[in-house]
C-alpha cells in the first residue's frame, strides 16, 4: 500500500459492485453476512456501502466491539476501584463515557476521582513509576488485538518490580462469543466478515472453526471500503461454489497485506505466559460464556487488581430500555431500538453501543443512514 486512496478508488468499487450484483442474481435466496468488528460497521455506514449492495444481501452486526460487549457490572467494578483511596485509575479514552449503573468514569472524575485516559498501558506503568505513593490501575479491555500490549506491560512491571501498578483485566477471546452466537440459534447468519485486527495476532487458522464446524463461509477483511466490498465478493463466490457445486466453505484472507495464517507468534507466546483462561466470563447480550475471558496468570498475581483489591463483583442487568445486546448479536438494527436517537444519544448514552467509536449505534447515529420506511413501520408496531 502506498496511499490509502488506493482502497477508496471509485472505479475499483464500481467493478466490485458489478461483480457482486451479478453473482447475487445467481443465488436462489437472500443471505445475511455478519461483520464481526465494529470497525467494519463504521466503514460500512460511513461510506454507505449497505445502500450499494443488492437487496438480497443483508449486513448484520456482531459482538466484536470490546467496549460494547463489556457488561455493566464490570464497569461498576472499575468505578469502585477509581473511588478507593490513593488510586489512579487509567483507561483508554473510549471507556471514559461508558455508563455504569449510576455514572460513568468521566462523571466519577468530575466528582473528584483520579481517572485518567492513556494511549497505552505502558503510559499507565510510567505513571506508576512517577507516582510511587499511589496505586495505579490500568483498566484493560479488548480482544486479542490489545491483549498483547497489556501482557507486555505486565512483563515490564515484573522485570522492573513496579510494586504500585496493577491491571484490572477484562480482555476476552474472539472464538467463544462466535461459537455462542451460532450455537444459541437466535441469530441466522450465513457467513462472516471476520475481524482483521484480531487476525493479525491469532492468524487465519483461528477462524477455521466457522467453516469446518458450522459450514459458514468466512473472509478476514481489512477496514477500508474496498476491503469490505472485496470481502463480500469473495463470500458470494464461496456461496455459489458451495450451493451450486458442493464445494466446502473455507476461511479466506482478504487482508493478506497484514494477516498471516499463523498470526503473531511472539505476541501469542507472551499472552500464553501472562494470561490464563477464565472458567467463565459475562458478555453483554450473550450472558456468561465459558472460557471466554483472560485472567492474569498466577506468576503475575502481584500485578492483578482483582487479587490486590476486594472488588465487589456485583452483576448488574442492562437498563430495560437498552437493546445493545440484541444489536450485538445481529437480532435488530440500531434504529429498531426504542430509545435510539431519542433518550439514547452520544451525549446521553444509555448503552455502550452508542458510546464506543466502534459501536453500531454510534455508526448509525453519526452517519445518519437508516431505512426511514422500515423505521416508521417498526415504530408503528410498538
Amino acid at each position: 500500500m502506498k496511499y490509502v486512496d488506493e482502497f477508496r478508488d471509485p472505479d475499483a468499487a464500481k467493478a466490485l459492485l458489478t461483480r457482486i450484483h451479478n453473482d447475487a442474481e445467481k443465488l436462489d435466496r437472500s443471505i445475511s453476512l455478519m461483520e464481526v468488528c465494529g470497525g467494519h460497521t463504521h466503514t460500512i455506514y460511513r461510506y454507505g456501502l449497505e445502500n450499494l449492495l443488492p437487496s438480497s444481501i443483508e449486513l448484520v452486526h456482531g459482538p466484536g466491539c470490546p467496549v460494547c460487549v463489556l457488561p455493566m457490572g464490570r464497569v461498576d467494578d472499575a468505578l469502585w476501584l477509581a473511588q478507593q483511596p490513593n488510586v489512579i485509575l487509567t483507561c483508554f479514552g473510549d471507556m471514559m463515557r461508558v455508563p455504569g449503573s449510576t455514572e460513568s468514569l468521566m462523571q466519577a472524575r468530575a466528582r473528584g476521582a483520579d481517572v485518567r485516559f492513556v494511549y497505552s498501558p505502558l503510559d499507565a506503568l510510567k505513571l506508576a513509576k512517577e507516582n510511587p505513593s499511589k496505586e495505579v490501575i490500568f483498566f484493560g479491555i479488548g480482544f486479542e488485538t490489545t491483549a498483547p500490549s497489556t501482557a507486555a506491560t505486565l512483563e515490564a512491571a515484573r522485570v522492573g518490580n513496579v510494586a504500585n501498578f496493577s491491571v484490572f483485566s477484562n480482555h476476552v477471546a474472539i472464538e467463544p462469543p462466535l461459537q455462542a452466537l451460532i450455537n444459541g440459534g437466535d441469530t441466522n447468519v450465513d457467513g462472516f466478515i471476520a475481524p482483521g485486527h484480531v487476525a493479525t495476532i491469532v492468524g487465519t487458522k483461528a477462524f477455521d472453526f466457522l467453516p469446518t464446524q458450522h459450514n459458514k463461509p468466512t473472509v478476514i477483511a481489512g477496514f477500508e471500503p474496498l476491503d469490505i466490498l472485496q470481502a463480500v465478493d469473495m463470500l458470494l463466490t464461496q456461496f455459489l461454489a458451495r450451493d451450486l457445486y458442493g464445494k466446502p466453505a473455507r476461511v479466506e484472507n482478504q487482508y493478506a497485506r497484514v494477516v498471516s495464517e499463523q498470526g503473531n507468534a511472539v505476541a501469542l507466546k507472551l499472552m500464553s505466559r501472562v494470561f490464563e483462561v477464565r472458567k467463565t466470563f459475562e458478555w453483554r447480550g450473550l450472558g456468561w460464556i465459558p472460557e471466554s475471558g483472560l485472567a492474569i496468570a498466577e506468576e503475575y498475581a502481584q500485578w492483578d487488581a482483582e487479587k490486590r483489591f476486594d472488588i465487589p463483583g456485583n452483576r448488574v442487568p442492562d437498563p430495560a430500555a437498552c437493546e445493545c445486546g440484541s444489536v450485538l448479536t445481529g437480532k435488530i438494527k440500531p434504529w429498531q431500538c426504542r430509545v435510539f436517537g431519542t433518550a439514547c444519544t452520544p451525549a446521553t448514552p444509555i448503552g455502550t453501543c452508542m458510546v464506543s467509536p466502534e459501536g453500531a449505534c454510534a455508526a448509525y447515529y453519526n452517519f445518519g443512514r437508516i431505512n426511514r420506511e422500515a423505521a416508521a413501520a417498526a415504530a408503528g408496531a410498538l
Side-chain angles (χ1 to χ4, degrees), residues 164-231:
N164 64 321
F165 174 77
S166 60
V167 171
F168 178 40
S169 177
N170 291 271
H171 289 291
V172 290
I174 192 63
E175 178 178 346
L178 296 181
Q179 291 276 25
L181 189 150
I182 296 173
N183 293 330
D186 293 332
T187 303
N188 183 23
V189 177
D190 297 295
F192 288 87
I193 300 174
H197 289 158
V198 172
T200 62
I201 303 299
V202 301
T204 63
K205 60 184 177 59
F207 297 93
D208 285 345
F209 70 95
L210 290 169
T212 58
Q213 297 179 24
H214 305 288
N215 200 26
K216 303 288 186 182
T218 301
V219 173
I220 295 165
F223 296 87
E224 291 298 327
L226 292 186
D227 290 327
I228 303 295
L229 291 177
Q230 187 177 28

Coordinates of all heavy atoms in Angstrom, one line a residue, residues 164-231:
N164 N 3.6 -0.7 42.7 CA 2.3 0.1 42.8 C 1.5 0.1 41.5 O 0.7 1.0 41.4 CB 2.6 1.5 43.3 CG 3.4 2.3 42.2 OD1 4.3 1.7 41.6 ND2 3.1 3.6 42.1
F165 N 1.7 -0.9 40.7 CA 1.0 -1.0 39.4 C 0.2 -2.3 39.3 O 0.7 -3.3 39.8 CB 1.9 -0.9 38.2 CG 1.3 -1.1 36.9 CD1 0.6 -0.1 36.3 CD2 1.4 -2.3 36.2 CE1 -0.1 -0.3 35.1 CE2 0.8 -2.5 35.0 CZ 0.1 -1.5 34.4
S166 N -1.0 -2.2 38.8 CA -1.8 -3.4 38.6 C -2.7 -3.3 37.4 O -3.0 -2.1 37.0 CB -2.6 -3.8 39.9 OG -3.5 -2.8 40.2
V167 N -3.3 -4.4 36.9 CA -4.2 -4.4 35.8 C -5.5 -5.0 36.2 O -5.5 -6.1 36.8 CB -3.6 -5.1 34.6 CG1 -4.6 -5.4 33.5 CG2 -2.4 -4.4 34.1
F168 N -6.6 -4.3 35.9 CA -7.9 -4.9 36.0 C -8.3 -5.5 34.6 O -8.7 -4.8 33.7 CB -8.9 -3.8 36.4 CG -10.4 -4.3 36.5 CD1 -10.7 -5.5 37.1 CD2 -11.4 -3.5 36.1 CE1 -12.0 -6.0 37.2 CE2 -12.7 -3.9 36.2 CZ -13.0 -5.1 36.7
S169 N -8.1 -6.8 34.5 CA -8.2 -7.4 33.2 C -9.6 -7.7 32.8 O -10.3 -8.5 33.5 CB -7.3 -8.7 33.1 OG -7.5 -9.3 31.9
N170 N -10.0 -7.2 31.6 CA -11.3 -7.5 31.0 C -11.1 -8.0 29.6 O -12.0 -7.8 28.7 CB -12.2 -6.3 31.1 CG -12.7 -6.0 32.5 OD1 -13.7 -6.5 33.0 ND2 -11.9 -5.1 33.2
H171 N -9.9 -8.5 29.3 CA -9.6 -9.0 28.0 C -10.4 -10.3 27.7 O -10.6 -11.1 28.6 CB -8.1 -9.2 27.8 CG -7.3 -8.0 27.8 ND1 -7.3 -7.1 26.7 CD2 -6.4 -7.4 28.7 CE1 -6.5 -6.1 27.0 NE2 -6.0 -6.3 28.2
V172 N -10.7 -10.4 26.4 CA -11.6 -11.5 26.0 C -11.0 -12.1 24.7 O -10.2 -11.5 24.0 CB -13.0 -11.1 25.8 CG1 -13.7 -10.8 27.1 CG2 -13.1 -9.9 24.9
A173 N -11.5 -13.3 24.4 CA -11.1 -14.1 23.2 C -12.2 -14.0 22.2 O -13.4 -13.9 22.5 CB -10.7 -15.5 23.5
I174 N -11.9 -14.1 20.9 CA -12.9 -13.9 19.8 C -13.7 -15.2 19.5 O -14.9 -15.1 19.1 CB -12.2 -13.4 18.5 CG1 -13.2 -12.9 17.5 CG2 -11.3 -14.5 18.0 CD1 -14.0 -11.8 17.9
E175 N -13.1 -16.4 19.7 CA -13.9 -17.6 19.3 C -15.1 -17.9 20.1 O -16.2 -18.1 19.6 CB -13.0 -18.8 19.2 CG -13.7 -20.1 18.9 CD -12.8 -21.3 18.8 OE1 -11.6 -21.2 18.8 OE2 -13.4 -22.4 18.7
P176 N -15.0 -17.8 21.5 CA -16.2 -18.2 22.3 C -17.5 -17.5 22.0 O -18.5 -18.1 21.9 CB -15.7 -18.0 23.7 CG -14.2 -18.2 23.6 CD -13.8 -17.6 22.3
P177 N -17.4 -16.1 21.8 CA -18.7 -15.5 21.5 C -19.3 -15.8 20.2 O -20.5 -15.9 20.1 CB -18.4 -14.0 21.6 CG -16.9 -13.9 21.3 CD -16.4 -15.1 22.0
L178 N -18.5 -16.1 19.2 CA -19.0 -16.5 17.9 C -19.6 -17.9 18.0 O -20.6 -18.2 17.4 CB -17.9 -16.5 16.8 CG -17.3 -15.1 16.6 CD1 -16.2 -15.2 15.5 CD2 -18.4 -14.1 16.1
Q179 N -18.9 -18.8 18.7 CA -19.5 -20.1 19.0 C -20.8 -20.0 19.7 O -21.8 -20.7 19.3 CB -18.5 -21.0 19.8 CG -17.3 -21.4 19.1 CD -17.4 -22.6 18.2 OE1 -18.5 -22.9 17.8 NE2 -16.3 -23.3 18.0
A180 N -20.9 -19.2 20.7 CA -22.1 -19.0 21.5 C -23.2 -18.4 20.6 O -24.4 -18.8 20.7 CB -21.9 -18.1 22.7
L181 N -22.9 -17.5 19.7 CA -23.9 -16.9 18.9 C -24.5 -17.9 17.9 O -25.7 -18.0 17.7 CB -23.2 -15.7 18.1 CG -24.1 -14.8 17.3 CD1 -23.5 -13.4 17.2 CD2 -24.3 -15.3 15.9
I182 N -23.6 -18.7 17.3 CA -24.1 -19.7 16.3 C -24.9 -20.8 17.1 O -26.0 -21.2 16.7 CB -22.9 -20.3 15.6 CG1 -22.2 -19.2 14.7 CG2 -23.4 -21.5 14.7 CD1 -21.0 -19.7 14.0
N183 N -24.3 -21.3 18.1 CA -24.9 -22.5 18.8 C -26.2 -22.1 19.5 O -27.1 -22.9 19.8 CB -23.9 -23.1 19.9 CG -22.7 -23.7 19.2 OD1 -22.8 -24.2 18.1 ND2 -21.6 -23.7 19.9
G184 N -26.3 -20.8 19.9 CA -27.6 -20.3 20.5 C -28.7 -20.4 19.6 O -29.9 -20.5 20.0
G185 N -28.5 -20.2 18.3 CA -29.6 -20.3 17.3 C -30.5 -19.2 17.2 O -31.4 -19.2 16.4
D186 N -30.2 -18.1 17.9 CA -31.1 -16.9 17.8 C -30.8 -16.0 16.6 O -31.7 -15.3 16.2 CB -31.0 -16.1 19.1 CG -31.5 -16.9 20.3 OD1 -32.4 -17.7 20.2 OD2 -31.1 -16.6 21.5
T187 N -29.6 -16.1 16.1 CA -29.2 -15.2 15.0 C -28.9 -16.1 13.8 O -28.1 -17.0 13.8 CB -28.0 -14.4 15.4 OG1 -28.3 -13.7 16.6 CG2 -27.6 -13.4 14.3
N188 N -29.6 -15.8 12.7 CA -29.4 -16.6 11.5 C -28.4 -15.8 10.6 O -28.7 -14.9 9.9 CB -30.7 -16.7 10.7 CG -30.6 -17.6 9.5 OD1 -29.6 -18.4 9.4 ND2 -31.5 -17.4 8.6
V189 N -27.2 -16.3 10.6 CA -26.1 -15.7 9.8 C -25.5 -16.7 8.9 O -25.3 -17.8 9.2 CB -25.0 -15.2 10.8 CG1 -23.8 -14.6 10.0 CG2 -25.5 -14.1 11.7
D190 N -25.4 -16.3 7.6 CA -25.0 -17.2 6.6 C -23.4 -17.2 6.4 O -22.9 -18.2 6.0 CB -25.6 -16.9 5.3 CG -27.1 -17.0 5.3 OD1 -27.6 -18.2 5.5 OD2 -27.8 -16.0 5.2
G191 N -22.8 -16.1 6.7 CA -21.4 -16.0 6.5 C -20.8 -14.9 7.4 O -21.5 -14.1 7.9
F192 N -19.5 -14.9 7.5 CA -18.8 -13.9 8.4 C -17.8 -13.1 7.6 O -16.9 -13.6 6.9 CB -18.2 -14.6 9.5 CG -19.2 -15.2 10.5 CD1 -19.7 -16.5 10.4 CD2 -19.6 -14.4 11.6 CE1 -20.6 -17.0 11.3 CE2 -20.5 -14.9 12.5 CZ -21.0 -16.2 12.3
I193 N -17.8 -11.8 7.9 CA -16.6 -10.9 7.6 C -15.8 -10.8 8.9 O -16.2 -10.1 9.9 CB -17.1 -9.5 7.1 CG1 -17.9 -9.7 5.9 CG2 -15.9 -8.6 6.9 CD1 -18.6 -8.4 5.4
A194 N -14.7 -11.6 9.0 CA -14.0 -11.7 10.2 C -13.1 -10.5 10.5 O -12.6 -9.9 9.5 CB -13.2 -13.0 10.2
P195 N -12.8 -10.3 11.8 CA -12.0 -9.0 12.1 C -10.6 -9.1 11.8 O -9.8 -10.0 12.3 CB -12.3 -9.0 13.7 CG -12.5 -10.4 14.1 CD -13.2 -11.0 12.9
G196 N -10.1 -8.2 11.0 CA -8.7 -8.2 10.5 C -7.7 -7.9 11.6 O -6.7 -8.5 11.7
H197 N -8.1 -7.0 12.6 CA -7.1 -6.6 13.6 C -6.9 -7.8 14.5 O -5.7 -8.0 14.9 CB -7.6 -5.4 14.4 CG -7.6 -4.1 13.6 ND1 -8.3 -3.0 13.9 CD2 -6.8 -3.8 12.5 CE1 -8.1 -2.1 13.1 NE2 -7.2 -2.5 12.2
V198 N -7.9 -8.5 14.9 CA -7.7 -9.7 15.8 C -6.9 -10.7 15.0 O -6.0 -11.3 15.6 CB -9.1 -10.3 16.2 CG1 -8.9 -11.6 16.9 CG2 -9.8 -9.3 17.1
A199 N -7.2 -10.9 13.7 CA -6.5 -11.9 13.0 C -5.0 -11.6 12.8 O -4.2 -12.5 12.6 CB -7.1 -12.0 11.6
T200 N -4.6 -10.3 12.9 CA -3.1 -10.1 12.9 C -2.4 -10.8 14.0 O -1.2 -11.1 13.9 CB -2.8 -8.5 13.0 OG1 -3.3 -8.0 14.2 CG2 -3.5 -7.8 11.8
I201 N -3.1 -11.0 15.1 CA -2.5 -11.7 16.3 C -2.7 -13.2 16.2 O -1.8 -14.0 16.3 CB -3.0 -11.1 17.6 CG1 -2.8 -9.6 17.7 CG2 -2.4 -11.8 18.8 CD1 -1.4 -9.2 17.7
V202 N -4.0 -13.6 16.0 CA -4.3 -15.0 16.1 C -4.2 -15.8 14.8 O -4.1 -17.0 14.8 CB -5.8 -15.2 16.7 CG1 -5.9 -14.5 18.0 CG2 -6.8 -14.6 15.7
G203 N -4.1 -15.0 13.7 CA -3.9 -15.7 12.4 C -5.2 -16.2 11.8 O -6.2 -16.2 12.5
T204 N -5.2 -16.6 10.6 CA -6.4 -17.0 9.9 C -6.9 -18.4 10.4 O -8.1 -18.6 10.4 CB -6.1 -17.2 8.4 OG1 -5.1 -18.2 8.2 CG2 -5.6 -15.9 7.7
K205 N -6.0 -19.2 10.9 CA -6.3 -20.5 11.4 C -7.3 -20.5 12.6 O -8.0 -21.4 12.8 CB -5.1 -21.3 11.8 CG -4.2 -20.7 12.9 CD -3.0 -21.5 13.1 CE -2.1 -20.9 14.2 NZ -2.7 -20.7 15.5
A206 N -7.3 -19.4 13.3 CA -8.1 -19.2 14.5 C -9.6 -19.2 14.1 O -10.5 -19.4 15.0 CB -7.8 -18.0 15.3
F207 N -9.9 -18.9 12.8 CA -11.3 -18.9 12.4 C -11.7 -20.1 11.6 O -12.8 -20.2 11.1 CB -11.5 -17.6 11.6 CG -11.3 -16.3 12.3 CD1 -10.0 -15.7 12.3 CD2 -12.3 -15.8 13.1 CE1 -9.8 -14.6 13.0 CE2 -12.1 -14.6 13.8 CZ -10.8 -14.0 13.8
D208 N -10.9 -21.1 11.6 CA -11.2 -22.3 10.8 C -12.5 -23.0 11.4 O -13.1 -23.7 10.6 CB -10.0 -23.3 10.9 CG -8.9 -22.9 10.0 OD1 -9.1 -22.1 9.1 OD2 -7.8 -23.5 10.2
F209 N -12.8 -22.8 12.6 CA -14.0 -23.5 13.2 C -15.3 -23.0 12.5 O -16.2 -23.8 12.5 CB -14.1 -23.2 14.7 CG -14.4 -21.8 15.1 CD1 -15.7 -21.4 15.3 CD2 -13.4 -20.8 15.2 CE1 -16.0 -20.1 15.7 CE2 -13.7 -19.5 15.5 CZ -15.1 -19.1 15.7
L210 N -15.3 -21.8 12.0 CA -16.5 -21.3 11.3 C -16.9 -22.2 10.1 O -18.0 -22.6 10.0 CB -16.4 -19.9 11.0 CG -16.4 -18.9 12.2 CD1 -16.0 -17.5 11.7 CD2 -17.7 -18.9 12.9
P211 N -16.0 -22.4 9.2 CA -16.4 -23.3 8.1 C -16.3 -24.8 8.4 O -17.2 -25.6 8.0 CB -15.3 -23.0 7.0 CG -14.1 -22.5 7.7 CD -14.7 -21.8 8.9
T212 N -15.4 -25.3 9.2 CA -15.2 -26.7 9.5 C -16.3 -27.2 10.4 O -16.8 -28.3 10.2 CB -13.9 -27.0 10.1 OG1 -13.7 -26.3 11.3 CG2 -12.8 -26.7 9.1
Q213 N -16.7 -26.5 11.4 CA -17.7 -26.9 12.4 C -19.1 -26.5 12.0 O -20.1 -27.2 12.3 CB -17.4 -26.4 13.8 CG -16.1 -26.9 14.4 CD -15.9 -26.3 15.8 OE1 -16.8 -25.9 16.5 NE2 -14.6 -26.3 16.1
H214 N -19.3 -25.3 11.3 CA -20.6 -24.8 11.0 C -20.9 -24.5 9.6 O -22.0 -24.0 9.2 CB -20.7 -23.5 11.8 CG -20.5 -23.6 13.3 ND1 -21.3 -24.2 14.1 CD2 -19.4 -23.2 14.0 CE1 -20.8 -24.2 15.4 NE2 -19.7 -23.6 15.3
N215 N -19.9 -24.8 8.7 CA -20.1 -24.7 7.2 C -20.4 -23.2 6.9 O -21.2 -23.0 6.0 CB -21.2 -25.6 6.7 CG -21.1 -25.8 5.2 OD1 -20.0 -25.7 4.6 ND2 -22.2 -26.1 4.6
K216 N -19.8 -22.3 7.6 CA -20.1 -20.9 7.3 C -18.9 -20.3 6.5 O -17.8 -20.2 7.0 CB -20.2 -20.1 8.7 CG -21.3 -20.6 9.6 CD -22.7 -20.3 9.1 CE -23.7 -20.7 10.1 NZ -25.1 -20.4 9.6
P217 N -19.1 -19.8 5.3 CA -18.0 -19.1 4.6 C -17.5 -17.9 5.4 O -18.3 -17.2 6.0 CB -18.7 -18.7 3.3 CG -19.8 -19.7 3.1 CD -20.3 -20.0 4.5
T218 N -16.2 -17.7 5.4 CA -15.6 -16.7 6.2 C -14.5 -16.0 5.4 O -13.7 -16.7 4.8 CB -15.1 -17.3 7.5 OG1 -16.1 -17.9 8.2 CG2 -14.4 -16.2 8.4
V219 N -14.5 -14.7 5.5 CA -13.4 -13.9 4.9 C -12.9 -12.9 5.9 O -13.6 -12.1 6.5 CB -13.9 -13.2 3.6 CG1 -12.8 -12.2 3.1 CG2 -14.3 -14.1 2.5
I220 N -11.6 -13.0 6.2 CA -10.9 -12.0 7.0 C -10.7 -10.7 6.2 O -10.0 -10.8 5.2 CB -9.6 -12.6 7.6 CG1 -9.9 -13.7 8.5 CG2 -8.8 -11.5 8.4 CD1 -8.7 -14.6 8.9
A221 N -11.1 -9.6 6.7 CA -11.1 -8.4 5.9 C -10.4 -7.2 6.6 O -10.4 -7.1 7.8 CB -12.5 -8.0 5.5
G222 N -9.9 -6.3 5.8 CA -9.4 -5.0 6.3 C -10.5 -4.1 6.5 O -11.7 -4.4 6.4
F223 N -10.2 -2.8 6.6 CA -11.1 -1.8 7.1 C -11.4 -0.7 6.2 O -12.1 0.3 6.6 CB -10.7 -1.3 8.5 CG -10.6 -2.4 9.5 CD1 -9.5 -3.2 9.7 CD2 -11.7 -2.6 10.3 CE1 -9.5 -4.2 10.6 CE2 -11.7 -3.7 11.3 CZ -10.6 -4.5 11.4
E224 N -10.9 -0.7 5.0 CA -11.2 0.3 4.0 C -12.4 -0.1 3.2 O -12.7 -1.3 3.1 CB -10.0 0.6 3.1 CG -8.8 1.3 3.8 CD -9.2 2.6 4.4 OE1 -10.0 3.3 3.7 OE2 -8.7 3.0 5.4
P225 N -13.1 0.8 2.5 CA -14.3 0.4 1.7 C -14.1 -0.7 0.7 O -14.9 -1.6 0.6 CB -14.6 1.7 1.0 CG -14.1 2.8 1.9 CD -12.8 2.3 2.5
L226 N -12.9 -0.7 0.0 CA -12.7 -1.7 -1.0 C -12.4 -3.0 -0.3 O -12.7 -4.1 -0.8 CB -11.5 -1.3 -1.9 CG -11.8 -0.2 -2.9 CD1 -10.6 0.0 -3.8 CD2 -13.1 -0.4 -3.7
D227 N -11.8 -3.0 0.9 CA -11.6 -4.2 1.7 C -13.0 -4.9 1.9 O -13.1 -6.1 1.7 CB -11.0 -3.9 3.0 CG -9.5 -3.5 2.9 OD1 -8.8 -4.0 2.0 OD2 -9.1 -2.7 3.7
I228 N -14.0 -4.1 2.4 CA -15.3 -4.7 2.7 C -15.9 -5.2 1.4 O -16.5 -6.3 1.4 CB -16.2 -3.6 3.4 CG1 -15.5 -3.0 4.6 CG2 -17.5 -4.2 3.7 CD1 -15.3 -4.0 5.7
L229 N -15.9 -4.4 0.4 CA -16.6 -4.9 -0.9 C -15.9 -6.1 -1.4 O -16.6 -7.1 -1.9 CB -16.5 -3.8 -1.9 CG -17.4 -2.5 -1.6 CD1 -17.3 -1.5 -2.7 CD2 -18.9 -2.9 -1.5
Q230 N -14.6 -6.2 -1.4 CA -13.9 -7.4 -1.9 C -14.3 -8.6 -1.0 O -14.4 -9.7 -1.5 CB -12.4 -7.2 -1.9 CG -11.7 -8.4 -2.6 CD -10.2 -8.2 -2.7 OE1 -9.6 -7.5 -1.9 NE2 -9.6 -8.8 -3.7
A231 N -14.4 -8.4 0.3 CA -14.8 -9.5 1.2 C -16.2 -10.0 0.9 O -16.4 -11.2 0.8 CB -14.8 -9.0 2.7

